Amino acid sequence: MARTVARVIVDALQELGVQHVFGVVGDALNPLTDAIRTTDGVDWIGCRHEEAAAFAAGAQSQLSGTLGVCMGTVGPGSVHLLNGLYDAAKSRTPVLAICGQVPLAEVGSDYFQEVDNDLLFRDVAVYRATVTSPDQMPRMLESAVRAAVSQGGVAVLTVPGDLGDQEPSEDRAARFALDRPVTRPDDPALARAAELLDAADRVTLLVGRGARDARDEVLRTAGTLAAPMVLTLKAKEGFEGDNEFQVGQTGLIGNPAAAHALESGDVLLMLGTDFPYRDWYPKGCKVVQIDTREEHLGRRIPVDVGLTGDVGATLRALLPLLDTVSDRSHLDDARERFAHWQEGQRRLADPGHEHRWTGRLRAVLDNRDHEIRPEALAAAVDTHAAEDAVFTSDTGMATVWLSRFVGMRGSRRLIGSYNLGSMANAMPQALGAQLWAPDRQIVAFCGDGGLSMLLGDLMTIKTYRLPVKLVVFDNRRLGMVKLEQEQAGLPEFGTELDNPDFAAVATALGLTGIRVTDPADLDASVRRAFDTPGPVLLDVLTNPQEVAVPGKPTVSQGWGFAIAKVKEILPSHEG
């Protein structure tokens, strides 16, 4: 007996090593979910919202480096996948989305729930197609998977509800050729890069996630050039721990040492990064950039030498051409500045620390100086979390505190919506991460706004008994938006959140809920959260007035913040 279209797809997923398929069941998916039900090694993970399903699939893909899979049924079910799929696309991680469609004979008739998936996913997908005949399988599936893996992106395969149970005339297993090439630039290009680097007095490295598999080569390069290493947020994982060259991050979440290392260098060497914030690049220096994608070269800052190739292979060919730099003053200066900044951050992370003038100012502005410092919460998590913990973080202030106070030492991992910048990603990504690594500690840095947006999938965590630890920075604000408004001289508006007691909500759903309102209870509560078996939601009331100062604050930002505070304090006399 020949296999059905659904069986061909699910057998192929099993062959690819896919262990989890995330989604919400629905009529057009019934043949596929039934095939999953009867397949060993492939489990259906029923989420409460398809957006959470897509985030979870993308998280597994980012952590494993292999294909993540999610499903959405006809119309609204597929539409709900879109945000999570955009996150996967911007993260350049391979995800296959299988979407339902109305019966084939009804396509184009404006049928109930009909959505043109090929049009809907046009911008987000590197491959999108609708199956119109069972004989297109498994060829169409093979094309979708190859596109997702080879291009590091999203493939969307739409299956009408009446095709899943039909049988292709040729019954064969899907075959995938997924080996990816390793490339490096030609010798003349490497010689030009070496000549520019050897002529420099001060080289600074900007290292991104694209260099993750080339840690040894990157460290050797930094040592040869005596170059400080500025890390993007996504490069914390892999480069922060045990690295005598790194000086932390740049950008709004960065620090003065990293900003100075960039500004004081006369050559910038970019390794596997497409860091998007142009205002934070140095001015007037020469630039060498190495990236696997030629279209990335020079699109953020003009480059003098652009090298297309894998970072590891390119550096292995480049290193023998470089002179060893004996003057370490540029590196030593950057490291000393970084150590000084870190010491200041440690003081901020002390739950009892408070400068006298800031304490008085906070009392005037908000009368909440008794609330918990978010820096202290992040530092306590760093202290008590496992050395192989996997961290996720919501976009906004939760990511700021993680970037500054949680070290990616040991075999810790880190993911977030760091390219798309979506809200509500941390909890569903933690869900996917825990299923990927059931024996590892998974810690989600959740903003209160982000958590409440997809709150329903706390029930998914409960259903599958996933022992994730959800740390909620409960400042009753959209904190990053508040900061943006105030830096622009605007009073805070529309950012306040009328939150429930999240710990009580978690308890009602069958999770362990812990609420912390007193700084004196913080450390013990964090320890208890990690020591408690099963899923835990730690709801910590943090001070909404805490400000994350960027690495190189401007006068206009400071003046804008002062004006905003005056506007917030003084009553309005308009009208």
Side-chain angles (χ1 to χ4, degrees):
M1 179 177 175
R3 295 178 300 164
T4 64
V5 167
R7 174 52 61 188
V8 168
I9 292 173
V10 175
D11 285 353
L13 298 182
Q14 183 187 48
E15 182 68 22
L16 287 165
V18 173
Q19 295 180 317
H20 306 107
V21 178
F22 301 88
V24 178
V25 296
D27 50 0
L29 295 181
N30 286 340
L32 287 154
T33 52
D34 190 62
I36 292 171
R37 180 183 63 83
T38 57
T39 300
D40 291 335
V42 181
D43 292 329
W44 172 259
I45 306 299
C47 298
R48 298 304 179 107
H49 196 294
E50 288 90 353
E51 182 176 340
F55 271 125
Q60 287 203 342
S61 177
Q62 290 185 66
L63 291 166
S64 68
T66 59
L67 186 72
V69 182
C70 57
M71 292 187 183
T73 192
V74 179
S78 293
V79 172
H80 284 165
L81 292 171
L82 197 56
N83 193 49
L85 293 181
Y86 260 105
D87 186 77
K90 295 278 279 185
S91 299
R92 296 197 178 279
T93 197
V95 170
L96 172 66
I98 299 175
C99 296
Q101 185 54 283
V102 300
L104 190 60
E106 302 294 345
V107 171
S109 70
D110 195 23
Y111 196 71
F112 174 65
Q113 291 192 322
E114 182 184 2
V115 169
D116 185 343
N117 287 342
D118 294 340
L119 179 62
L120 174 69
F121 295 106
R122 178 178 179 180
D123 184 52
V124 73
V126 297
Y127 178 95
R128 64 197 185 284
T130 297
V131 181
T132 58
S133 166
D135 289 340
Q136 293 174 307
M137 301 300 287
R139 173 175 49 85
M140 191 174 282
L141 176 65
E142 292 167 339
S143 296
V145 171
R146 279 197 294 267
V149 173
S150 65
Q151 298 181 53
V154 172
V156 179
L157 189 65
T158 297
V159 182
D162 56 342
L163 286 186
D165 282 330
Q166 294 189 32
E167 299 175 355
S169 58
E170 179 188 5
D171 183 14
R172 72 169 179 87
R175 294 192 292 269
F176 304 96
L178 300 178
D179 291 331
R180 303 183 68 176
V182 175
T183 61
R184 74 164 181 86
D186 59 14
D187 291 340
L190 291 168
R192 291 195 299 274
E195 181 180 6
L196 193 155
L197 291 165
D198 285 339
D201 292 324
R202 300 176 304 280
V203 177
T204 299
L205 307 187
L206 179 60
V207 180
R209 189 174 185 271
R212 181 182 58 182
D213 295 330
R215 175 183 165 90
D216 290 345
E217 291 86 352
V218 173
L219 292 178
R220 286 173 53 202
T221 301
T224 298
L225 297 174
M229 185 186 303
V230 178
L231 306 178
T232 67
L233 177 59
K234 296 175 76 172
K236 270 176 68 75
E237 176 197 309
F239 286 100
E240 188 172 57
D242 193 24
N243 182 350
E244 62 179 319
F245 305 103
Q246 70 96 7
V247 293
Q249 283 86 60
T250 184
L252 288 173
I253 65 172
N255 69 80
H260 181 79
L262 290 170
E263 294 291 347
S264 61
D266 50 18
V267 171
L268 174 65
L269 176 56
M270 298 172 61
L271 302 177
T273 179
D274 189 38
F275 183 73
Y277 305 105
R278 295 178 183 175
D279 290 345
W280 294 89
Y281 281 94
K283 307 294 191 295
C285 69
K286 300 290 187 181
V287 179
V288 178
Q289 184 177 3
I290 302 173
D291 202 288
T292 55
R293 296 177 179 270
E294 189 170 6
E295 66 270 22
H296 286 184
L297 301 178
R299 78 172 180 175
R300 307 302 183 187
I301 183 174
V303 300
D304 297 274
V305 180
L307 303 176
T308 304
D310 294 271
V311 172
T314 301
L315 290 181
R316 285 192 294 273
L318 179 62
L319 275 163
L321 307 179
L322 298 177
D323 296 333
T324 299
V325 175
S326 58
D327 182 1
R328 293 175 56 92
S329 59
H330 179 49
L331 171 61
D332 292 342
D333 177 58
R335 288 284 291 176
E336 288 172 10
R337 291 171 182 265
F338 185 50
H340 178 73
W341 177 80
Q342 285 183 307
E343 178 57 33
Q345 294 297 292
R346 280 191 285 270
R347 290 195 298 271
L348 289 175
D350 180 352
H353 170 74
E354 198 67 66
H355 292 294
R356 289 188 178 88
W357 73 270
T358 56
R360 289 196 297 269
L361 177 62
R362 183 172 292 108
V364 170
L365 294 179
D366 199 58
N367 195 30
R368 287 181 174 176
D369 53 323
H370 62 284
E371 290 180 329
I372 295 166
R373 302 179 66 91
E375 301 97 329
L377 171 56
V381 171
D382 179 56
T383 297
H384 295 292
E387 294 297 287
D388 66 345
V390 179
F391 293 87
T392 69
S393 69
D394 270 334
T395 299
M397 298 308 296
T399 289
V400 174
W401 307 130
L402 182 144
S403 72
R404 294 186 175 187
F405 296 97
V406 177
M408 290 297 113
R409 57 186 176 271
S411 56
R412 288 178 171 182
R413 301 290 305 272
L414 173 64
I415 57 172
S417 185
Y418 301 142
N419 292 83
L420 180 63
S422 174
M423 286 181 66
N425 61 282
M427 182 265 288
Q429 286 181 328
L431 188 161
Q434 190 71 83
L435 285 160
W436 170 73
D439 296 327
R440 290 176 71 166
Q441 188 181 80
I442 311 297
V443 184
F445 271 45
C446 299
D448 46 1
L451 179 70
S452 57
M453 188 175 282
L454 285 176
L455 194 63
D457 273 281
L458 289 179
M459 291 180 277
T460 305
I461 291 172
K462 167 62 167 56
T463 297
Y464 292 95
R465 301 178 179 86
L466 302 177
V468 298
K469 310 305 180 187
L470 305 171
V471 179
V472 184
F473 288 74
D474 190 352
N475 64 357
R476 302 153 308 282
R477 293 294 194 281
L478 298 176
M480 185 63 78
V481 180
K482 166 181 158 62
L483 179 60
E484 291 167 350
Q485 290 175 348
E486 291 174 339
Q487 285 181 339
L490 301 173
E492 179 185 6
F493 178 76
T495 65
E496 295 189 34
L497 302 175
D498 184 14
N499 289 338
D501 179 335
F502 287 113
V505 172
T507 301
L509 294 174
L511 286 67
T512 298
I514 302 172
R515 187 171 173 88
V516 189
T517 60
D518 188 335
D521 298 332
L522 178 62
D523 191 77
S525 297
V526 172
R527 186 186 304 111
R528 176 188 164 201
F530 287 129
D531 289 343
T532 300
V536 177
L537 187 150
L538 180 68
D539 182 17
V540 182
L541 267 64
T542 57
N543 195 311
Q545 300 303 328
E546 291 300 323
V547 176
V549 180
K552 51 176 185 180
T554 65
V555 172
S556 62
Q557 286 173 332
W559 183 244
F561 186 79
I563 292 173
K565 285 303 177 186
V566 171
K567 290 179 179 178
E568 290 169 4
I569 295 170
L570 297 178
S572 173
H573 296 289
E574 295 180 0

